[in-house]
Structure formats: structure tokens, C-alpha cells
Amino acid sequence: MSDRLPKFIDPLILADKNAHLAGKIPLSSLSRLHELLVNNVGEVTVSLFFGKEGKTAKIEGKICAVLAVKCQRCLEPVEWPIESDIKLGIVSSLDKAGKLTGDLEPLILPEENKIALTDIIEDEILILLPDIPKHSNNCAITIPANNSALLNEYRQPAVNNPFSILAELNIQETSDGSTKK
Ligand SMILES: [Zn+2]
């Protein structure tokens, strides 16, 4: 079996064939995740079995990846391993989604029956990502108690321009008197 996964799939046809898709999807191709991750290095390992449960087409399988998210305490990257079972029932409408039995989650198929594989994987990963990721133990960086400049930087992560950070730090240092005698 090749590692190359199709971009678009027709889950109904694959279910008829009891197909198995396995391979890797680069994180760089999952654009909805980009703003949530520190970087897009790595891949999602995907293994999906298509089949039927009664008359319902379904997808079962597993995805796993190691994501780099930003610790909301120290703002350094945290490796965030994910491993999740996928159990999706293919339905054509919200109405039918409500009637799914068993533990299948609904996957509503667009009219043309084709869906981007990356969309399915992105949806799964978005559910798995924590709202406020943090290092599980203590964060590695320590903040020197007497260094207000570092402390300010620590509190103001949202500034993109390094020069504006510097300017802001200078203003704050003088206004709170910490650099004066
Ligand atoms: Zn941390």
C-alpha cells in the first residue's frame, strides 16, 4: 500500500469496496490548524477502514500525530501527542445525523459525495486540541524575580514586532521606576 493518500474521497464508494486508506498527511497541508500550532513540522498518521453498519456507510480508524502547541503559561512550545479513534457514520443530512445508531459520529456528506480527506482529519484534530494547552509539569523557563523587563515580555506575548516590544518595555521600565535610582 502506498503512503500517498487521495486529496478527495467518496466515502460511499470506499464503503462499498471495504477500502482501507493508510498514509501520512503533512501538517503543513492542514491550514485550519496553522494558527493554533507553533509550527507545521510533522505529519498525521492516518489509517481508515471504510465499511457499512447496516445500511450506513462508516469510517473507522485511527489518527495520530505530535503537534507543537504554545504553552499558555510560559509561551514556549509544548509537544502535544494526539491519538484518536475515528468512528464516523456517513449521512446526507442533519436530519439523518440525528438518527445514527451506535457510537458513530455523523459525517455529513456534501451533495457531490466528495469530501476532502484533510477536512475530515482537521475536524478530528480541532476537537482534540486543548483550549488552553500547558506544560503538564512546571514550565521550564523561570522568570527572575527582579527583572521587570522579562516579566513584561512574559505578560505581553501578543506583540509581533520585536522593536515595538522593546519600545514598550522601555516606556514601562521608566514609568514604573524600576531602572532609576
Ligand atoms: Zn509552559
Side-chain angles (χ1 to χ4, degrees):
M1 188 171 309
S2 105
D3 246 17
R4 284 177 62 111
L5 291 165
K7 188 163 168 49
F8 289 92
I9 58 170
D10 183 331
L12 299 181
I13 290 179
L14 293 172
D16 275 339
K17 293 180 181 166
N18 289 319
H20 176 213
L21 289 182
K24 292 175 195 287
I25 296 177
L27 286 172
S28 55
S29 66
L30 303 177
S31 56
R32 276 190 287 154
L33 299 181
H34 288 182
E35 63 181 30
L36 301 169
L37 301 181
V38 177
N39 63 54
N40 304 312
V41 180
E43 321 171 289
V44 187
T45 304
V46 176
S47 175
L48 301 176
F49 294 89
F50 297 77
K52 292 205 167 168
E53 191 158 307
K55 288 182 176 172
T56 308
K58 65 175 181 177
I59 308 175
E60 286 187 302
K62 197 172 262 263
I63 57 171
C64 59
V66 179
L67 308 174
V69 293
K70 188 184 270 187
C71 170
Q72 295 304 301
R73 200 159 40 200
C74 70
L75 307 172
E76 292 294 313
V78 193
E79 277 197 353
W80 206 270
I82 55 164
E83 185 172 337
S84 179
D85 292 324
I86 288 183
K87 277 192 154 211
L88 297 169
I90 316 296
V91 291
S92 54
S93 67
L94 259 183
D95 209 35
K96 289 184 177 158
K99 292 177 185 147
L100 272 182
T101 52
D103 49 0
L104 294 174
E105 295 290 323
L107 174 67
I108 298 174
L109 208 55
E111 267 180 40
E112 64 272 27
N113 286 356
K114 289 208 168 175
I115 188 162
L117 190 56
T118 49
D119 273 350
I120 300 175
I121 304 302
E122 269 175 339
D123 284 345
E124 292 295 323
I125 294 177
L126 286 170
I127 295 169
L128 295 169
L129 276 179
D131 289 337
I132 304 174
K134 285 180 189 160
H135 285 105
S136 52
N137 298 316
N138 292 332
C139 299
I141 66 162
T142 50
I143 296 151
N146 290 327
N147 194 329
S148 67
L150 259 183
L151 201 57
N152 282 329
E153 190 173 10
Y154 174 71
R155 282 178 184 161
Q156 298 181 353
V159 185
N160 290 324
N161 180 341
F163 296 106
S164 70
I165 290 179
L166 284 179
E168 225 163 312
L169 290 178
N170 283 335
I171 290 162
Q172 280 165 4
E173 275 182 16
T174 36
S175 65
D176 69 17
S178 62
T179 58
K180 293 177 181 169
K181 298 232 161 134

